[in-house]
Amino acid sequence: MVDWNLAVATATRLVRPGPDVSRDEARSVVAELRRHAKVSEEHVRGFTRMGTEEIHDTPVLVVDRPGWVRANVAGFREILKPLLEKMQERRGGNPGSAVLGAVGGKVTGVELGMLLSFLSSRVLGQYETFAPAAHDLPAGANGGGRLLLVAPNIVHVERELDVEPHDFRLWVCLHEETHRTQFTAVPWLRDHLEGEIQSFLAETDVDPMTFLERIREAAQSLAGGRPEAEEEDGGRSFVELVQTPAQREILGRLTAVMSLLEGHADHVMDGVGPSVVPTVSEIREKFQQRRAKGASRLDLALRKLLGLDAKLKQYRDGERFVRAVVDQVGVDGFNRVWTSPNTLPTKAEIAQPADWVTRVHRKAES
């Protein structure tokens, strides 16, 4: 269904060059990001009051754009394996399926590689929850993940925003370290998310060609091959493959969890920032403007198609939820959210934080 090796090769070949830096400057940036990641661990855990024990063995990797591509292809390959096997079985009985599969896998690999090359220049950092270990990309044992910091993208954005580089690098690390803390301090969270994702994929009953067409549409957007009217409309997102009531229910729960995780990271970044990042107000304002407007009409179209516009909404809704709950019941009261899957907010509660407080706190006190 997908030639993963070809996807990596294509993305690596097409990836945009990073900002112009000397070898000494590159080494300095990498070393500083590693220091900031270590310092951020202490700041985040102190502010959140989560996981005072030693962090589980989840490595921090400072990578370039090809390194980010390789890591994400490995993650996609792992998490999508059940779905792709199911789709392969569905197509397996058709005449000529072996030939079509070989050709289709290469076509899809190229198109996926095009998308990854585009995205590889936009991600600043990422906590990879479902990261299989490789010789050049270590991951935590026993299902632990890894934290990626994409050095050329961080340098590119700090220059584009014209902000103080050392402050910006620490600011980014605070956000990403929060995600690392969430998963290392809450042991059940990874398994819960994986279970939800696999339940979602198990419900998928999509014709393989329909699935591959979504990738093709995204690649054509990137290449400028889609009609003007479609580009203005923004296209269809992968999420719109959802067809069953069970999938919509699972997706609602996943959306709520992702909103919580992203909003919590933004809340921590804003809470810790003023005491350790002198220019945090300037960075936050400029970064929010950049995040909201996107780079171009093409960027907006791709964000819609890939569901990235939904991610932007998650930052806003999730941060409002966390702030409202902390205002009502304090940090320790908010941290009840990490007790079990039953105390995670629903999608409706993300929009109405008081309802979560009533359900989790008032019932516990009665």
Side-chain angles (χ1 to χ4, degrees):
M1 295 297 296
V2 180
D3 187 329
W4 298 105
N5 292 332
L6 185 56
V8 171
T10 301
T12 302
R13 187 173 67 254
L14 296 178
V15 71
R16 300 176 184 180
D20 185 19
V21 296
S22 67
R23 182 170 297 182
D24 287 343
E25 185 179 0
R27 288 185 182 134
S28 175
V29 170
V30 169
E32 184 174 20
L33 287 172
R34 287 176 176 152
R35 289 196 303 272
H36 283 334
K38 185 63 179 175
V39 169
S40 294
E41 178 185 329
E42 180 181 345
H43 289 315
V44 169
R45 288 177 175 250
F47 182 82
T48 62
R49 303 176 194 171
M50 293 174 66
T52 54
E53 75 282 356
E54 284 295 316
I55 234 176
H56 297 278
D57 59 342
T58 54
V60 177
L61 306 179
V62 182
V63 298
D64 58 10
R65 291 167 179 175
W68 179 88
V69 168
R70 291 194 300 275
N72 275 265
V73 165
F76 289 154
R77 190 171 189 168
E78 187 74 16
I79 202 69
L80 291 176
K81 187 185 298 181
L83 173 63
L84 294 177
E85 287 176 351
K86 178 180 177 180
M87 292 168 65
Q88 187 68 37
E89 289 173 5
R90 177 170 176 173
R91 195 173 71 176
N94 296 332
S97 60
V99 174
L100 289 173
V103 174
K106 292 189 179 303
V107 170
T108 307
V110 168
E111 291 170 340
L112 182 59
M114 291 173 64
L115 288 176
L116 289 170
S117 71
F118 174 82
L119 294 172
S120 69
S121 64
R122 281 157 170 73
V123 177
L124 302 182
Q126 174 185 357
Y127 184 78
E128 278 202 291
T129 315
F130 311 108
H135 72 281
D136 59 338
L137 289 166
N142 303 317
R146 58 182 166 230
L147 179 60
L148 305 179
L149 297 169
V150 191
N153 296 350
I154 293 172
V155 172
H156 171 79
V157 173
E158 72 192 26
R159 291 179 178 180
E160 178 186 321
L161 298 181
D162 190 25
V163 293
E164 210 290 319
H166 306 294
D167 286 2
F168 183 75
R169 295 166 195 173
L170 176 56
W171 187 76
V172 170
C173 288
L174 289 170
H175 182 100
E176 303 308 331
E177 178 58 39
T178 302
H179 289 316
R180 188 170 178 234
T181 296
Q182 290 162 347
F183 283 94
T184 55
V186 186
W188 55 264
L189 185 58
R190 179 193 181 277
D191 289 341
H192 172 71
L193 265 183
E194 184 175 21
E196 292 280 53
I197 291 169
Q198 293 304 334
S199 296
F200 180 88
L201 295 177
E203 288 285 333
T204 300
D205 187 22
V206 177
D207 177 78
M209 295 312 297
T210 303
F211 181 80
L212 300 181
E213 182 61 25
R214 294 298 190 274
I215 297 178
R216 191 159 295 116
E217 287 178 7
Q220 288 172 351
S221 289
L222 185 57
R226 294 176 66 221
E228 181 92 359
E230 286 190 33
E231 188 174 298
E232 288 177 356
D233 177 63
R236 296 168 290 176
S237 90
F238 286 111
V239 174
E240 290 169 6
L241 288 170
V242 175
Q243 294 179 331
T244 70
Q247 280 186 310
R248 286 192 288 272
E249 185 177 332
I250 296 168
L251 185 62
R253 294 197 298 267
L254 283 171
T255 299
V257 174
M258 298 311 297
S259 296
L260 170 69
L261 299 180
E262 296 294 357
H264 185 228
D266 269 10
H267 177 78
V268 172
M269 201 162 53
D270 286 347
V272 175
S275 62
V276 298
V277 182
T279 59
V280 65
S281 297
E282 177 191 358
I283 291 172
R284 182 72 155 141
E285 181 181 356
K286 289 183 175 180
F287 193 79
Q288 287 286 60
Q289 291 172 357
R290 181 183 186 273
R291 179 190 274 176
K293 71 181 182 180
S296 65
R297 289 174 59 214
L298 173 59
D299 197 43
L300 293 172
L302 274 165
R303 283 186 354 194
K304 171 73 188 301
L305 183 61
L306 300 172
L308 299 181
D309 54 343
K311 186 175 177 68
L312 297 179
K313 189 173 186 296
Q314 287 169 7
Y315 283 110
R316 296 190 297 267
D317 294 348
E319 201 278 333
R320 281 195 294 265
F321 170 83
V322 176
R323 185 175 63 248
V325 171
V326 170
D327 285 347
Q328 289 185 63
V329 295
V331 173
D332 291 331
F334 166 80
N335 280 342
R336 286 196 190 181
V337 78
W338 312 117
T339 304
S340 75
N342 293 330
T343 56
L344 290 171
T346 65
K347 189 176 179 180
E349 288 170 343
I350 288 289
Q352 298 291 335
D355 292 348
W356 180 86
V357 172
T358 298
R359 177 171 67 86
V360 173
H361 283 265
R362 302 296 180 258
K363 287 186 177 179
E365 294 165 1
S366 61

